[in-house]
Amino acid sequence: MWHPILVAEERTPAVWTLVDGLARDYATIELRRTPDGPRYRVEYRGELIGWAVSLRVACERAHRAFLSDHGPAPFPGYPAYIAK
């Protein structure tokens, strides 16, 4: 069974980078100390998308954002009708 944690590379201590099939970075996960204890900060393409309590959950969130980028775009609405 495959899991997004398998594409996470720890290039520096406590910082994981998720890499796609073409070796491009798409997410970064950093282990941080917070008043509530250790937490994983999840960024997708440079934008903070959330925090997680485990590396597994952090990888799942980042990968879910990656997959949703490959789906259909949101409905832009119907074009404005101009009567002549």
Side-chain angles (χ1 to χ4, degrees), residues 30-41 50-53:
E30 297 179 23
L31 179 59
R32 298 275 183 96
R33 291 177 194 219
T34 69
D36 297 324
R39 296 291 186 264
Y40 294 87
R41 185 178 193 275
W51 294 81
V53 294

Side-chain angles (χ1 to χ4, degrees), residues 1-75:
M1 179 112 186
W2 184 86
H3 190 274
I5 203 167
L6 297 174
V7 297
E9 298 177 356
E10 188 176 12
R11 297 175 184 166
T12 58
V15 179
W16 292 266
T17 304
L18 275 67
V19 182
D20 68 10
L22 299 174
R24 295 177 297 200
D25 301 350
Y26 68 87
T28 303
I29 299 168
E30 297 179 23
L31 179 59
R32 298 275 183 96
R33 291 177 194 219
T34 69
D36 297 324
R39 296 291 186 264
Y40 294 87
R41 185 178 193 275
V42 185
E43 285 186 9
Y44 175 69
R45 301 199 190 276
E47 181 180 329
L48 176 65
I49 61 170
W51 294 81
V53 294
S54 72
L55 181 58
R56 179 184 178 117
V57 172
C59 288
E60 288 174 0
R61 287 186 181 163
H63 193 66
R64 191 175 309 126
F66 176 69
L67 292 178
S68 68
D69 251 5
H70 291 82
F75 181 65

